[in-house]
Amino acid sequence: EAGVTQFPSHSVIEKGQTVTLRCDPISGHDNLYWYRRVMGKEIKFLLHFVKESKQDESGMPNNRFLAERTGGTYSTLKVQPAELEDSGVYFCASSQGDSGNYGYTFGSGTRLTVV
Amino acid sequence: QQQVKQSPQSLIVQKGGIPIINCAYENTAFDYFPWYQQFPGKGPALLIAIRPDVSEKKEGRFTISFNKSAKQFSLHIMDSQPGDSATYFCAASKVDFNKFYFGSGTKLNVKP
């Protein structure tokens, strides 16, 4: 079974530019999550999709971040315009059902550096 | 406000030692406590998890100890090996919430 795939693995952009991160969940997983780890700190929840619907987006930092999951398959996370504090590792995870029973499968992450 | 506090930030032990990583939480509504292991260049992977109805859970060389009254839980790695060198994250959640609160991670180095 293919795992959760994220790309790019690394991205370096200038402040003010736009970046789009992509996540392909495990096939058949309705739940898709985005998390972020700023250097040395905790991994923080950003949002949760169930199929194509946003179930919880309480962790999105501000309106410069836009997440989509068209058709309930892959998801994109766009940052526009990027700021220095957006640097970090962005993780995507997916689960088959309730995460408490099934757990998450994380992707390897996208390391975003804003300079 | 950080919901789950993890310590230490880093840990070095000799092969065969028993590293212990501690976590504390605030929200008494949490009822699911997983530990994740992350190797460089990889995403976190579920290692072991516990519910608050038990005080200890063992899976192989990994043990979670849980103290509900103190709102603390810890990971013990028995007979640690160099291959256990990784970053470990504790987390907490309500089972019916699809959101985890993670600790800040502990980078473990097991020396041969």
Side-chain angles (χ1 to χ4, degrees):
Chain A
E1 168 181 82
V4 176
T5 305
Q6 292 186 246
F7 50 92
S9 56
H10 292 84
S11 180
V12 181
I13 62 170
E14 292 185 352
K15 176 182 171 181
Q17 288 186 322
T18 297
V19 63
T20 300
L21 314 181
R22 173 166 167 152
C23 169
D24 286 60
I26 292 173
S27 177
H29 281 194
D30 289 338
N31 294 276
L32 186 149
Y33 314 83
W34 285 97
Y35 281 79
R36 175 175 74 172
R37 188 184 190 209
V38 172
M39 187 169 65
K41 302 207 170 179
E42 73 270 29
I43 301 172
K44 272 192 171 179
F45 171 85
L46 295 178
L47 88 161
H48 168 213
F49 284 99
V50 177
K51 297 185 180 178
E52 67 274 9
S53 299
K54 291 176 185 174
Q55 189 76 11
D56 181 353
E57 51 183 329
S58 61
M60 294 288 264
N62 51 60
N63 59 11
R64 296 186 293 103
F65 289 74
L66 175 64
E68 294 180 323
R69 192 182 181 194
T70 307
T73 55
Y74 71 91
S75 175
T76 58
L77 179 65
K78 181 191 287 189
V79 185
Q80 178 183 29
E83 298 289 345
L84 298 178
E85 65 263 24
D86 300 332
S87 297
V89 181
Y90 290 76
F91 291 106
C92 175
S94 70
S95 71
Q96 183 177 8
D98 179 280
S99 63
N101 290 318
Y102 294 94
Y104 285 170
T105 299
F106 277 93
S108 297
T110 295
R111 181 176 295 277
L112 174 64
T113 303
V114 183
V115 297
Chain B
Q1 181 186 359
Q2 195 169 350
Q3 299 257 2
V4 178
K5 294 184 179 176
Q6 182 173 347
S7 63
Q9 189 173 7
S10 63
L11 192 53
I12 301 173
V13 300
Q14 292 294 129
K15 177 183 173 182
I18 305 176
I20 300 172
I21 304 170
N22 300 298
C23 286
Y25 63 97
E26 292 295 325
N27 190 340
T28 55
F30 290 148
D31 55 7
Y32 179 68
F33 302 89
W35 284 88
Y36 281 80
Q37 179 188 55
Q38 184 188 17
F39 293 107
K42 302 291 186 183
L46 180 64
L47 185 63
I48 184 173
I50 196 168
R51 302 277 168 100
D53 52 343
V54 296
S55 60
E56 186 176 276
K57 183 172 181 180
K58 289 184 181 180
E59 286 186 6
R61 296 183 294 106
F62 300 91
T63 300
I64 300 178
S65 297
F66 186 83
N67 185 330
K68 188 173 181 178
S69 60
K71 294 187 288 184
Q72 295 176 345
F73 58 110
S74 59
L75 177 71
H76 301 233
I77 306 175
M78 306 302 175
D79 187 27
S80 59
Q81 301 296 313
D84 297 328
S85 297
T87 299
Y88 292 82
F89 294 94
C90 62
S93 176
K94 279 184 62 85
V95 171
D96 57 345
F97 286 174
N98 281 282
K99 176 194 295 186
F100 286 108
Y101 295 89
F102 283 87
S104 51
T106 296
K107 188 169 184 179
L108 172 66
N109 184 6
V110 182
K111 291 190 173 294

